[in-house]
Every structure is written in C-alpha cells, then in structure tokens.
Amino acid sequence: MTKVSVDPSGTFLKLETATGTYRFHAIWLRDNATDPETRAVGNGQKLITFSDLPSETRITDARLSGGGLQVDFDPEQKTLTYDLECLETNAYDRAQIGKRGWTNAGIEVWNDALKSDVPTGDFSELSSNKDALRIWLGLVTKLGFGKITNGPIEHGALYKIVDLFGYVRETNYGKHFEVRTEVNPTNLAFTGLGLQAHTDNPYRDPVPTVQVLYCLESSAAGGENMVVDGFAAAQRLRDENVAYFDVLADHCARFEYAGEEGVCLTSRRPMIELAPDGELIGVRFNNRSLAAITDVPFDKMALYYAAYRRFAEIIDDPAMEVTFRLAPGESFVVDNTRVLHARKGYSGEGTRWLQGCYADRDGLHSTYLSLLRSTVLEAAE
Ligand code: FE2
C-alpha cells in the first residue's frame, strides 16, 4: 500500500511503496516536474531556467490521486502530478556505494575466462536485424568490446561498421589509418614485433572513446589481437594494494604526441580515472606516449612508479587477456576508455593489413538505448 507524508518543514516528502521508503526534496520534485510549462511535450527538454524556481520552494500538501502523486508547491501556488513508477526509478534516497573503483551496474568486468565467449556479431545480420544489433551493442556496452565477422573485404569497409552505431571521429591521422605489416624474418626491421596492451591516443583530450580495427589481409602466422579489461585490472590493483590504486587515481599523468609537423597533442589525466563518488570511469595506459610525470609530489613519486609497475604487470598477466584472431573481413570494436588492446608478435612470412578508425562511445550507447527503448515499447503494445 503506497503512502505519502509531507515533512512539517515542507522541504521534503516521504513516499512509502512496496519497494521501499524514499524521501524527495521539494526543490528536486519541482525541478523534475513534467508538466507542459516545465518541460517540452515532444523532446522532454526543460522550458525554464533553474533560477525561475524560487529558492524558498516548499511542499504545502501531497496526496495520491489517480495512480499518481499530486504535490502542491508554495510560493508558486502550483499543483503538479508525478508518475509513481518514474519517482521510484529516480529515487535517490538510498545507501551510496562505498568502495572506490566501483563500476556501473551495466558493466561486467572480465578476464581470460571470457575467451571462449567473445561477443561476436555477423555483419549482415547486424546490418539487417535490429534485434541482433541491439543484442551485440548491449554486449559491447557491458564488456567494452565486440567482434564482427563476415564483413566485406574491401578498402574502407570499416566505415560500414561505424555506420551501424555512430560516426567516425576524424583526427590528424585522417578519417582512418592503415596498419600494414610485412613480416620478413631476414630483416629485423620488418619483423612484426608484439605490442604491449594499451589504450589509444591518451594524449588527446578527450580521447577517442571507440576504436574500430578491421582486417583486410592476414597471411602471416601469429599477430593475434588481444584485449584486456582495464577496469578489471584497476580493480585487481585496488584489491591487491589500495595505496597503489589511490596514487594512480589521485594524480594526473601526462601524455604527449608531437611526432609529425604541426602536431603537438598533450593531455593531463590520471591513469585510473574516477568520478567524484569513486565510480571507475576510465583507464589510460600507453607507455609509448607517456610524457614526464610532474604532478605527483616528491614524497609520493616512488610509490607512483611502484604502482605503475604493478599495474603494468597485471595488464601483462595472461590471466587477464582474451586473444582472438582476425581473418580478412573480420573486425573488432573496443571501448578505448576501458579496454586495452594489443597485437601479438608474428612468426613466419606474410603480410597483414588492417585499417583502423575512431568513433564515439556516446553514439554507440545512444543507438543501443534507443533500440532498447523501442523494443520495450513494441513489447508493451
Ligand atoms: Fe593501438
């Protein structure tokens, strides 16, 4: 049985429902009203500025009516109606998550156990079937990467992958970049050495949030692609040694790339990035583009380097990695704010040709959520 009571101060009300008891402030309720004078009916955008709401906003009365909650506000002398389900969904009167480095409920951290279950979608199915695309984008959102098979083997095919969920982010490397390797063991310069797992372009601000790598040619043995969950690595570091985790989260590293004429990209960001409430929101790890670290106090620099070393060891631990091979026409998409990628070394002779490009994760997430919402609406009809 749902009940409502207003605190005598008028600054908040208490709503008791089957799922729990939640308090809502008067100013919060007023700010989140959905009446047509407060929010546009079509796009839900607010039609008022915050300063239009009186600072002395109070609740004078509240009652349950017609399946909703009616609230009277002073000094505006306004009565507004709220959807109970919507209030429960947005309730903020709950215990906060405590441990630094927690992850959003929609995220699942992983290690090498995921190798037999790499999230994979078929290109033509993803292109023609919205349910298949929604499911695959859901996996990419949850796990931070996904593979696509059976795509066309042609120059620029990677743009068709980006078209599935968003837009290419052009950089000084162009709309896309070429990753060509000729493997010839008689000449060491052309030996395909492995690359340590890294996130791309940490020297950009903001970093490219999605990377697509698309295989067009692969005749050399080896050269497998490998991914590591940076969030899993950060949480493992935290659980092993919280001082290591804290020092990497609490101080900025610096990254730089000035390797071509007219380019001087710099950024100042932590290797482990947390939201103010401790949520793990990003990992930057790329030794090749790390600049001099100058934002760690002298008495913490030794600890910082010890933490950086241990973080690298965890990232390099085979127990953290998922390896898969890309055949021509296959590609993978990676959340570059979370998942590190690497290439294993080559052996034998042959060529390998991949094309890569960047895109934005908000577009991917937006496509996923809009597909999810339309599925829920269709199911309700
Ligand atoms: Fe890379």
Side-chain angles (χ1 to χ4, degrees):
M1 179 71 186
T2 304
K3 282 200 285 190
V4 62
S5 57
V6 179
D7 185 77
S9 68
T11 56
F12 70 92
L13 60 74
K14 191 156 77 172
L15 188 66
E16 293 172 63
T17 74
T19 63
T21 300
Y22 311 106
R23 289 167 299 174
F24 294 93
H25 287 94
I27 192 66
W28 187 96
L29 287 165
R30 182 62 192 89
D31 189 35
N32 287 288
T34 54
D35 64 295
E37 283 173 26
T38 308
R39 281 180 187 269
V41 175
N43 61 18
Q45 295 275 293
K46 277 193 185 132
L47 298 168
I48 55 170
T49 64
F50 180 63
S51 54
D52 290 333
L53 303 181
S55 61
E56 62 274 27
T57 294
R58 295 282 181 280
I59 300 164
T60 53
D61 192 23
R63 64 213 149 263
L64 296 162
S65 169
L69 175 69
Q70 265 184 3
V71 184
D72 300 334
F73 291 94
D74 254 1
E76 290 181 280
Q77 300 280 301
K78 242 178 162 20
T79 298
L80 297 167
T81 304
Y82 297 83
D83 180 74
L84 286 174
E85 207 179 299
C86 201
L87 284 178
E88 283 186 85
T89 306
N90 291 300
Y92 57 92
D93 190 11
R94 326 171 181 265
Q96 298 295 310
I97 302 163
K99 212 171 185 182
R100 282 187 112 201
W102 60 275
T103 49
N104 181 296
I107 284 178
E108 197 175 294
V109 294
W110 46 266
N111 56 23
D112 67 335
L114 188 70
K115 64 175 173 272
S116 52
D117 208 11
V118 170
T120 305
D122 177 86
F123 176 74
S124 39
E125 219 189 336
L126 296 181
S127 308
S128 59
N129 181 329
K130 285 195 164 153
D131 285 336
L133 182 60
R134 172 179 50 77
I135 290 164
W136 184 78
L137 290 174
L139 289 170
V140 174
T141 301
K142 184 167 77 168
L143 301 168
F145 80 106
K147 191 176 163 183
I148 298 179
T149 55
N150 299 317
I153 305 170
E154 62 193 27
H155 173 88
L158 78 176
Y159 297 130
K160 294 181 177 165
I161 303 299
V162 178
D163 286 345
L164 293 171
F165 58 77
Y167 304 92
V168 166
R169 176 168 163 192
E170 193 170 357
T171 70
N172 54 300
Y173 301 137
K175 281 195 168 66
H176 79 267
F177 48 88
E178 305 287 340
V179 188
R180 271 181 192 275
T181 318
E182 283 187 35
V183 188
N184 176 359
T186 59
N187 182 341
L188 276 181
F190 291 100
T191 301
L193 295 172
L195 284 175
Q196 188 188 25
H198 60 276
T199 58
D200 258 34
N201 295 195
Y203 41 77
R204 293 186 197 282
D205 184 7
V207 294
T209 47
V210 165
Q211 184 182 27
V212 178
L213 273 173
Y214 200 103
C215 180
L216 291 173
E217 228 176 272
S218 180
S219 63
E224 289 91 355
N225 288 93
M226 187 253 273
V227 284
V228 174
D229 185 356
F231 283 4
Q235 288 183 339
R236 185 172 150 191
L237 183 73
R238 175 197 64 188
D239 296 342
E240 279 183 19
N241 186 330
V242 76
Y244 281 1
F245 178 87
D246 286 345
V247 78
L248 292 185
D250 292 344
H251 298 91
C252 282
R254 290 187 185 235
F255 300 94
E256 184 176 314
Y257 175 74
E260 60 189 89
E261 182 70 28
V263 174
C264 187
L265 290 157
T266 61
S267 76
R268 177 182 177 272
R269 286 287 185 281
M271 291 198 195
I272 295 173
E273 188 173 8
L274 304 179
D277 58 3
E279 182 193 4
L280 189 47
I281 54 171
V283 165
R284 286 175 183 76
F285 186 87
N286 192 325
N287 196 51
R288 281 172 295 156
S289 52
L290 187 66
I293 295 168
T294 54
D295 301 279
V296 179
F298 180 85
D299 60 358
K300 288 203 173 157
M301 190 60 91
L303 176 69
Y304 188 92
Y305 268 98
Y308 178 32
R309 180 180 299 278
R310 184 60 196 145
F311 194 32
E313 285 167 358
I314 290 171
I315 285 165
D316 287 342
D317 181 352
M320 303 298 288
E321 73 181 46
V322 167
T323 301
F324 51 88
R325 195 173 166 75
L326 289 185
E330 294 185 343
S331 56
F332 76 97
V333 169
V334 67
D335 175 348
N336 190 50
T337 66
R338 168 185 171 188
V339 173
L340 299 86
H341 61 278
R343 187 193 68 201
K344 298 263 186 186
Y346 300 101
S347 55
E349 290 186 25
T351 58
R352 187 152 162 83
W353 177 25
L354 286 93
Q355 290 185 322
C357 71
Y358 300 116
D360 290 309
R361 195 184 53 167
D362 59 351
L364 186 149
H365 201 222
S366 158
T367 305
Y368 170 59
L369 284 183
S370 65
L371 286 169
L372 194 63
R373 284 183 184 181
S374 59
T375 308
V376 171
L377 287 176
E378 277 165 25
E381 275 166 10

